[in-house]
């Protein structure tokens, strides 16, 4: 018998980010000037790009990636001046790039200190230049549905002066950019410093050689966002935070610590820290290193005295060189980090202090957690000895009506709703997130698969990042892992999603092996993976990863009768085949379902089976561009939740799933590419729950008394017609009543996840579902035929927010009848106005086909609901009053305080 192996991960945790007085990290998000061209007028190109002849982005998400054109650097390109930024992350020094002579761009007006930018737009970062603009609604638009129909294209410049006083002379000055979309190039005082093309990675530039230590310094940042460069909405601009860092020439390197834990028991845990130290001074330095560990409270603040101290170390570092040290200490009675809700999210802080001649020169802090993770081919995922079923979702990086500009509260709200759903894991599709998102997943107890690439050498769009992959893959991977490797929430690294190299046998596997080796070189403690929607067990591609990640193949792709007429990848359910081929590797479904629906929208007749592709007359309405919310309809390659659940329950060795997707996202609007956003979320773009929310909640939170009826019961035109009623419940049986008359009691059969009454004849009144569990009443839900809309009601998710210009409140707008019932088919147009200390940032309603710009203060309700996002003005304490008005309806208002 073959011996079962268990991949063990015992770890770790969060990013270094807070500093002592000898190290300054300064937020420079405020006070930028912004200017955008739709085309490229300045000729300061990163590289020549291939011509695009096919701009059509209407294609299934599982279309094979085949494009392979990397272009050639021309004498106009700045590529060779930007590539040296990657040297820090290229291990073989013989492969480092040497910067050519010269200073390209020095004569361009926008980089000069004396250029007058007073007529440019005044903005604060993070900034997404496209999100508040009108959608392209015409056919053959310059930006199509795949990229969200928003004006992301063009060249943009950001300028800001930074004051660096003479007292900083002798320090090193760095610019840290957490994310800029895309092809970022940076000038300081007219000097080209460097840049980073991949818009999702964070990066650092050394400004020191170009700094004027007498006062004002002019930063100029150029971005270049091409069309046909993404399969989803990429955002546009400097859409994450930007920092100025001032440190001693001898310091802990950027992302320079790595903390591992092992030998974990109730009594103790062994902590090993690796510290990279840079000596950028002109002489050898004798450095003393002291490191202490503290506990953190729930707000990630130091709680009490230090709990451990590493042995003191001394090291001599040669001039202009780097050095790595390792040190070990034991912590008594460790408090473990674990997944919510079964476990607690305990965190620690390691504080490194560097001394030269007894003088403190640098302080560096790293948050981390102590946890024991095992990946077992039969049992699945075990955390701190407890089996944890992965109940995950995929998440894109946009924040709905806020676009790609990162906002901490908006991201927290998304995670709060996912936690209510019963979700315990996030796969970051398909790129590194804002660093603050991982701070949230640490604090809130989510498991994370952190992902880096959607394509490698073979592209999916003519101008996507396959163009830069050969030059940047090593730097991108190493930077990605170094930034994130200390987060306890991250359990695995994914180095690819549905890449074209799946199709190319040994040559594709060779690329995968190369990338996997880079990941392991940076972090050998976590498993590697890459998701597969095509590669089969007998191919070389799946051999390259520690975890088998299957996109849709577990439950089968286009294998059911309802999908038989479709073209594309077709495969039977492959959980057993992969398990047989790789008996020592854990299997997880990295993408499941891709079910589609429009919240509160229902079409008839209803499919009699459990899964079918959307088409006109079968779950879809091409005129309305909506998908029926009976939650049975899917993308061409997808499956309903019901089918996925059955396949996973039939194969209990599967560790769990990541549903495609948790929230709707901008772009990728399958099946209607004239829309603005996706239909696949369990929660819509505005943050309103679809019916599918309760189907997943019933499965993922079986202890929560849940019963949910669909559809709504406002069907005046269907009186006397069959109108199927379905029930989602965490109970095991339910009885349905219409106007007090029982329509029968039904019990879930094995591998059945909804209860169906498909012959109900509509009559207005009250539908009532009574669910039972183990023979006892469990939960009750009623759906009523409502009256006509008469009034508007507003409610805020938070009635008190910070007056910092960043904090926001999400206000739900409901259209109600005279009895206070939500009118589920109301679509009244609503006008919004605000007074006092706040401003309206955006409005939405969750309708993928609504092409009114997000910045509009007018919005029609969709399914009786709309959303207004409110922000407090910076420094303005007091009250703001939001009022909503509509013709023939009583207005509504809500008061929010800022402090």
């Amino acid at each position: 018998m073959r011996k079962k192996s268990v991949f063990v991960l015992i770890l770790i945790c969060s990013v270094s980010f807070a500093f002592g007085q000898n190290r300054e990290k300064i937020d420079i998000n405020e006070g930028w000037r912004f200017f955008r061209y739709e085309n490229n007028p300045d000729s300061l190109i990163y590289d020549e790009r291939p011509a695009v002849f096919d701009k059509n982005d209407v294609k299934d998400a599982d279309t094979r990636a085949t494009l392979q054109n990397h272009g050639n650097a021309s004498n106009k390109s700045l590529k060779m001046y930007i590539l040296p930024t990657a040297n820090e992350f290229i291990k073989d020094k013989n492969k480092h790039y040497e910067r050519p002579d010269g200073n390209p761009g020095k004569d361009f007006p926008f980089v000069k200190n004396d250029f007058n930018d007073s007529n440019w737009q005044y903005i604060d970062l993070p900034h997404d230049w496209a999100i508040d603009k009108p959608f392209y609604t015409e056919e053959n638009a310059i930006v199509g549905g795949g990229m969200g129909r928003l004006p992301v294209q063009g060249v943009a410049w950001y300028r800001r002066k930074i004051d660096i006083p003479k007292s900083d002379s002798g320090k090193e000055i760095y610019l840290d950019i957490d994310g800029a979309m895309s092809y970022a190039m940076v000038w300081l005082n007219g000097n080209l410093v460097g840049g980073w093309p991949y818009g999702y990675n964070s990066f650092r530039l050394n400004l020191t050689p170009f700094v004027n230590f007498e006062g004002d310094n002019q930063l100029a940042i150029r971005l270049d966002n091409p069309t046909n460069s993404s399969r989803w909405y990429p955002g546009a601009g400097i859409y994450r935070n930007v920092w100025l860092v001032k440190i001693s020439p001898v310091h802990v390197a950027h992302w320079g610590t790595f903390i591992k834990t092992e030998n974990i028991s109730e009594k103790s845990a062994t902590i090993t820290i690796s510290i990279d130290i840079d000596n950028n001074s002109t002489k050898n330095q004798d450095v003393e290193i002291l490191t202490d560990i503290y506990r953190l409270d729930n707000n990630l603040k130091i709680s009490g005295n230090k709990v451990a101290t590493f042995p003191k170390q001394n090291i001599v570092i040669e001039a202009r060189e780097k050095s790595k040290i390792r040190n070990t200490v034991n912590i008594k009675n460790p408090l473990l980090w674990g997944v919510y809700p079964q476990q607690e999210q305990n965190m620690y802080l390691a504080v490194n202090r560097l001394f030269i001649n007894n003088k403190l020169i640098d302080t560096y802090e790293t948050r981390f957690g102590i946890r024991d993770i095992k990946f077992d081919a039969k049992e699945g995922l075990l955390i701190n000895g407890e089996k944890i079923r992965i109940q995950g979702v995929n998440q894109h990086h946009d924040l709905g009506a806020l676009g790609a500009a990162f906002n901490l509260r908006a991201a927290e709200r998304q995670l709060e709703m996912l936690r209510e759903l019963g979700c315990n894991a996030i796969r970051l599709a398909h790129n590194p997130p804002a660093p603050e998102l991982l701070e949230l997943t640490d604090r809130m107890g989510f498991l994370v698969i952190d992902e880096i690439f959607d394509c490698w050498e073979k592209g999916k769009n003519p101008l996507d990042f396959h163009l830069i992959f050969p030059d940047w893959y090593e730097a991108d991977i190493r930077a990605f892992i170094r930034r994130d490797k200390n987060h306890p929430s991250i359990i695995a690294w994914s180095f690819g999603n549905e890449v074209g190299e799946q199709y190319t046998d040994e040559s594709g596997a060779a690329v995968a092996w190369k990338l996997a080796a880079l990941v392991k070189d940076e972090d050998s403690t976590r498993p590697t993976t890459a998701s597969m929607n095509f590669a089969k067990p007998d191919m070389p591609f799946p051999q390259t990863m520690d975890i088998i990640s299957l996109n849709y193949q577990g439950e089968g792709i286009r294998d059911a009768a309802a999908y038989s007429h479709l073209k594309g990848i077709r495969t039977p359910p492959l959980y057993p085949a992969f398990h047989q081929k790789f008996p020592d590797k854990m299997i997880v479904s990295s993408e499941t379902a891709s079910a589609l629906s429009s919240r509160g929208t229902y079409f008839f007749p209803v499919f009699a089976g459990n899964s079918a592709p959307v088409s006109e007359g079968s779950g879809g309405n091409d005129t309305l561009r909506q998908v029926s919310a009976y939650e049975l309809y899917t993308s061409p390659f997808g499956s309903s939740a019901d089918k996925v659940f059955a396949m996973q329950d039939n194969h209990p060795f599967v560790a769990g799933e990541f549903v495609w997707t948790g929230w709707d996202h901008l772009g990728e609007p399958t099946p209607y590419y004239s829309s603005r956003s996706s239909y696949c979320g369990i929660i819509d773009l505005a943050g309103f729950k679809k019916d599918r929310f309760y189907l997943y909640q019933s499965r993922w939170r079986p202890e929560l008394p849940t019963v949910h009826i669909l559809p709504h019961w406002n069907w005046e035109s269907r009186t006397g017609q069959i109108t199927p009623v379905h029930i989602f419940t965490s109970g095991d049986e339910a009885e349905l009543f219409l106007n007090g008359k029982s329509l029968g009691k039904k019990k879930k059969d094995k591998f059945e996840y909804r209860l169906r009454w498909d012959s109900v004849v509509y009559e207005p009144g009250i539908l009532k579902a009574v669910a039972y569990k183990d023979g006892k009443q469990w939960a009750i839900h009623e759906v009523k035929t409502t009256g006509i809309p008469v009034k508007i009601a507003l409610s805020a998710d938070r009635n008190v927010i910070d007056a910092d210009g960043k904090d926001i409140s999400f206000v739900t707008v409901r259209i109600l009848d005279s009895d206070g019932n939500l009118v589920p088919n109301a679509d009244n147009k609503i006008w919004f106005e605000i007074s006092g200390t706040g401003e309206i940032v955006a409005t939405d309603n969750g309708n993928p086909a609504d092409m009114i710009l997000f910045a509009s203060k007018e919005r029609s309700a969709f399914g009786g609901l709309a959303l207004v996002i409110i922000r407090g003005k910076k420094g303005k304490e007091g009250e703001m009053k939001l009022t909503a008005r509509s013709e023939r309806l009583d207005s509504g208002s809500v008061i929010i305080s800022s402090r």
Side-chain angles (χ1 to χ4, degrees):
M1 178 180 292
R2 186 170 183 177
K3 184 178 179 182
K4 179 184 72 173
S5 68
V6 177
F7 191 99
V8 181
L9 167 59
I10 302 178
L11 224 127
I12 304 190
C13 308
S14 167
V15 310
S16 334
F17 77 104
F19 300 93
Q21 294 180 352
N22 42 63
R23 175 187 282 250
E24 293 181 84
K25 185 176 183 181
I26 304 166
D27 177 334
I28 57 169
N29 285 327
E30 295 182 2
W32 291 79
R33 294 287 182 171
F34 169 78
F35 184 82
R36 169 181 170 253
Y37 300 100
E38 288 200 16
N39 298 303
N40 182 359
D42 56 32
S43 299
L44 298 174
I45 60 172
Y46 172 80
D47 201 358
E48 295 282 359
R49 296 188 183 122
V52 179
F53 298 104
D54 181 9
K55 297 184 177 182
N56 178 28
D57 68 352
V58 181
K59 51 191 174 185
D60 290 341
D62 65 339
T63 302
R64 177 175 174 178
T66 58
L67 301 172
Q68 194 162 4
N69 187 336
H70 300 139
N72 295 301
S74 73
N75 56 7
K76 295 181 180 179
S77 79
L78 277 62
K79 174 179 174 178
M80 296 311 297
Y81 294 86
I82 302 303
L83 280 168
T85 308
N87 287 344
E88 182 71 21
F89 304 96
I90 299 174
K91 192 170 186 178
D92 185 350
K93 290 186 177 182
N94 293 322
K95 295 181 179 179
H96 282 193
Y97 296 100
E98 184 174 344
R99 177 173 169 142
D101 293 333
N103 182 26
K106 65 179 181 179
D107 297 323
F108 191 71
F110 295 177
V111 310
K112 294 183 178 180
N113 295 49
D114 58 359
F115 175 75
N116 183 0
D117 57 16
S118 60
N119 63 338
W120 287 18
Q121 183 181 353
Y122 185 89
I123 59 100
D124 292 335
L125 307 179
H127 176 239
D128 181 341
W129 78 57
I131 194 60
D132 60 351
K133 303 298 188 296
F135 291 95
Y136 294 115
T137 57
E138 66 272 20
E139 292 186 15
N140 302 314
I142 189 170
V143 178
M147 291 178 67
R149 296 191 167 269
L150 286 165
V152 296
Q153 81 285 3
V155 171
W157 285 84
Y158 292 80
R159 284 171 48 92
R160 187 192 194 277
K161 289 194 182 296
I162 53 175
D163 178 36
I164 303 178
K166 191 173 183 178
S167 58
D168 285 334
S169 180
K171 295 181 181 178
E172 298 217 317
I173 312 298
Y174 292 94
L175 181 70
D176 287 0
I177 298 178
D178 287 344
M181 190 62 67
S182 53
Y183 291 94
M185 297 191 286
V186 178
W187 283 259
L188 181 68
N189 298 328
N191 299 284
L192 179 60
V193 182
W196 202 283
Y198 189 44
Y200 295 107
N201 257 8
S202 303
F203 63 97
R204 164 174 283 186
L205 296 174
N206 188 354
L207 303 181
T208 313
F210 312 108
V211 167
N212 168 27
F213 285 98
E214 297 292 337
D216 281 348
N217 290 261
Q218 182 64 58
L219 267 176
I221 302 175
R222 180 190 187 275
L223 303 182
D224 184 0
N225 236 19
T227 58
N228 302 101
S229 60
S230 178
R231 297 191 299 117
W232 57 84
Y233 179 72
I238 305 177
Y239 67 105
R240 295 177 186 163
N241 292 317
V242 176
W243 312 88
L244 193 68
V245 179
K246 303 177 181 181
I247 44 180
S248 163
V250 181
H251 57 266
V252 176
H254 190 35
W255 306 322
T257 59
F258 191 13
I259 298 176
K260 307 176 186 179
T261 66
E262 56 188 349
N263 303 322
I264 298 168
S265 69
E266 291 184 1
K267 294 183 177 180
S268 69
T270 303
I271 313 297
T272 300
I273 187 169
S274 299
I275 309 172
D276 293 320
I277 302 174
D278 289 344
N279 177 11
N280 293 338
S281 73
T282 57
K283 62 180 182 179
N284 297 352
Q285 300 286 357
D286 188 345
V287 182
E288 181 180 78
I289 304 101
L290 296 178
T291 302
D292 298 316
I293 296 178
Y294 299 84
R295 271 209 61 210
L296 296 176
D297 63 20
N298 292 336
N299 294 315
L300 300 181
K301 304 296 183 183
I302 289 177
S303 174
N305 298 323
K306 60 188 177 184
V307 297
T309 297
F310 287 86
K312 182 170 63 176
Q313 290 180 290
N314 285 83
I315 187 172
V316 175
I317 309 175
E318 295 183 3
R320 305 294 185 188
E321 292 294 333
K322 304 174 184 292
S323 186
K324 182 188 291 286
I325 65 169
R326 290 181 175 82
N327 211 339
T328 299
V329 72
N330 287 328
I331 289 182
K332 294 181 179 179
N333 306 314
L335 300 175
L336 304 186
W337 184 95
V339 66
Y340 180 90
Q342 297 97 318
Q343 301 168 335
E344 295 183 353
Q345 292 73 58
N346 296 297
M347 298 282 291
Y348 289 87
L349 182 74
V351 181
N352 311 122
R353 295 181 177 88
L354 307 188
F355 296 83
I356 295 179
N357 296 326
N358 295 320
K359 180 182 178 181
L360 179 65
I361 60 163
D362 191 26
T363 303
Y364 192 85
E365 301 182 1
T366 307
R367 290 200 297 241
F368 70 99
I370 302 171
R371 80 278 198 280
D372 174 18
I373 298 188
K374 294 182 174 66
F375 302 85
D376 187 276
K378 184 177 180 181
E379 296 298 321
L381 185 67
L382 293 96
I383 300 180
N384 303 328
E386 183 178 358
K387 182 175 179 178
I388 300 293
R389 181 79 179 171
I390 295 175
Q391 299 175 170
V393 300
N394 286 270
Q395 287 285 93
H396 270 289
H397 75 136
D398 74 75
L399 295 168
L402 299 175
F406 185 79
N407 180 278
L408 187 65
R409 172 57 196 156
E412 182 182 49
R413 173 179 177 250
Q414 287 194 343
L415 293 179
E416 286 173 349
M417 290 192 67
L418 291 173
R419 201 156 75 168
E420 180 188 353
L421 173 69
C423 171
N424 64 9
I426 308 291
R427 175 173 174 250
L428 297 167
H430 304 285
N431 46 260
E436 293 85 0
L437 181 69
L438 296 173
E439 294 171 16
L440 287 173
T441 57
D442 287 346
R443 179 168 59 83
M444 298 177 72
F446 284 90
L447 307 173
V448 173
I449 291 184
D450 207 353
E451 191 160 75
I452 177 70
F453 294 129
D454 185 52
C455 64
W456 299 343
E457 293 176 345
K458 294 186 176 297
K460 299 176 181 179
N461 282 280
L463 301 181
D464 65 22
F465 288 102
H466 80 280
L467 299 179
I468 62 169
F469 180 85
D471 292 328
W472 285 89
Y473 71 85
E474 180 178 359
D476 276 323
I477 283 181
R478 291 190 187 276
F480 153 70
I481 294 175
R482 287 182 198 177
R483 191 197 74 170
D484 294 349
K485 63 184 179 241
N486 286 312
H487 285 280
S489 53
I490 296 174
I491 61 171
W493 304 111
S494 174
F495 55 86
N497 172 68
E498 298 181 354
V499 295
E501 284 74 4
Q502 292 177 96
Y503 296 80
T504 57
D505 201 58
E506 293 290 351
S507 63
V511 179
W513 281 116
K514 179 170 61 176
L515 301 182
L518 289 173
V519 174
K520 288 295 188 184
D521 193 50
E522 288 292 324
D523 178 12
S524 62
T525 67
R526 291 181 176 91
T528 62
T529 193
S531 66
M532 299 173 285
N533 66 332
F534 174 79
K536 303 300 184 285
D538 57 347
M539 294 180 178
F541 193 86
Q543 299 173 21
T544 66
M545 58 202 69
D546 299 319
I547 294 175
I548 299 296
S549 290
L550 301 180
N551 285 8
Y552 312 107
Q553 294 199 76
E555 58 265 27
I557 301 174
R558 297 182 178 92
D559 65 309
Y563 300 78
S564 61
H565 62 288
L566 300 175
K567 297 180 180 179
I569 297 169
R570 192 179 307 279
T571 192
L574 286 180
Y575 288 140
F578 272 98
H579 189 51
Q580 182 177 5
K581 179 69 175 181
F582 300 102
D584 299 335
K585 292 186 179 184
M586 190 181 85
I587 295 175
V588 66
S589 274
S590 41
E591 289 181 25
T592 61
S594 195
L596 309 175
S597 61
S598 304
R599 175 183 52 80
T601 303
Y602 308 92
F603 301 133
F604 306 94
V606 176
F607 181 63
N610 75 346
S611 187
V614 174
S615 63
E616 175 69 9
S618 179
N621 184 306
D622 294 354
T623 302
L624 298 176
R625 305 200 307 277
Q626 304 295 356
V627 180
S628 178
Y630 272 94
E631 310 298 6
L632 295 167
Y633 304 99
T634 77
S635 65
F637 52 85
S639 298
S640 69
D642 306 64
K643 183 184 175 189
V644 173
F645 295 164
M647 291 306 301
Q648 294 214 345
D649 286 347
N650 269 296
H651 303 96
F653 55 82
V654 178
E657 66 172 316
F658 292 87
V659 179
W660 190 265
T661 56
W663 282 60
D664 278 338
H665 57 278
L666 289 167
E668 209 172 12
T670 303
Y672 301 117
Y673 268 75
S674 56
S675 294
R676 66 179 194 189
S677 54
S678 76
Y679 296 74
C680 53
I682 299 170
I683 301 167
D684 75 19
L685 197 72
F688 301 135
K689 301 168 185 174
K690 299 182 184 180
D691 292 290
R692 206 176 333 142
F693 184 98
Y694 301 97
L695 179 57
Y696 280 97
Q697 189 180 63
S698 295
R699 177 175 173 84
W700 287 352
R701 298 183 65 184
E703 79 293 344
L704 179 70
T706 301
V707 62
H708 177 80
I709 300 172
L710 65 142
H712 64 70
W713 212 237
N714 281 21
W715 298 106
E716 182 179 357
S717 63
R718 295 190 61 80
T719 300
Q721 297 183 45
I722 290 178
T723 305
V725 176
H726 292 189
I727 289 177
F728 304 146
T729 180
S730 54
D732 46 43
E733 59 182 332
E735 187 170 11
L736 180 65
F737 298 85
L738 176 56
N739 293 328
K741 179 181 177 181
S742 176
L743 301 184
K745 197 173 191 181
K746 297 194 176 187
K747 190 169 186 174
K748 291 180 187 175
D749 289 333
K750 190 175 184 181
F751 307 126
E752 188 175 50
Y753 307 94
R754 70 174 71 201
L755 297 172
R756 302 175 62 145
W757 284 258
D758 283 332
S759 300
V760 177
V761 175
Y762 177 76
E763 62 181 58
I766 300 175
L767 277 175
K768 179 180 178 180
V770 180
Y772 298 86
K773 193 165 190 175
D774 298 326
K776 297 179 181 179
Q777 186 171 302
W778 182 244
I780 297 174
H781 183 217
E782 286 189 351
V783 175
K784 298 179 180 180
T785 305
T786 71
I788 63 172
V790 298
K791 58 186 175 181
I792 306 171
L794 276 61
S795 60
D797 71 329
R798 293 184 306 150
N799 289 93
V800 179
I801 60 175
D802 293 333
D804 60 0
K806 299 177 182 178
D807 199 11
I808 52 182
S809 180
F810 292 86
V811 179
T812 297
V813 182
R814 295 177 173 86
I815 306 296
L816 307 179
D817 68 6
S818 58
D819 293 326
N821 298 310
L822 176 73
V823 182
N825 53 349
D827 58 1
N828 306 67
K829 180 177 284 189
I830 310 166
W831 291 267
F832 302 103
E833 60 183 32
I834 193 168
S835 60
T837 60
E839 58 187 347
I840 296 173
V841 180
T843 63
D844 194 10
N845 56 16
N847 179 1
D850 187 345
M851 308 307 286
I852 301 298
L853 75 164
F854 288 123
S856 174
K857 294 178 177 59
E858 300 177 9
R859 183 72 55 184
S860 293
F862 181 65
L865 299 174
L867 177 77
V868 185
I869 304 174
I870 302 300
R871 177 172 57 211
K873 296 176 182 177
K874 185 174 182 181
K876 300 289 185 180
E877 294 190 344
E879 291 185 343
M880 60 195 84
K881 182 178 181 181
L882 175 69
T883 301
R885 294 183 172 87
S886 183
E887 292 182 0
R888 295 184 295 277
L889 300 183
D890 293 339
S891 62
S893 63
V894 66
I895 293 176
I896 299 167
S897 298
S898 57
R899 64 184 181 189

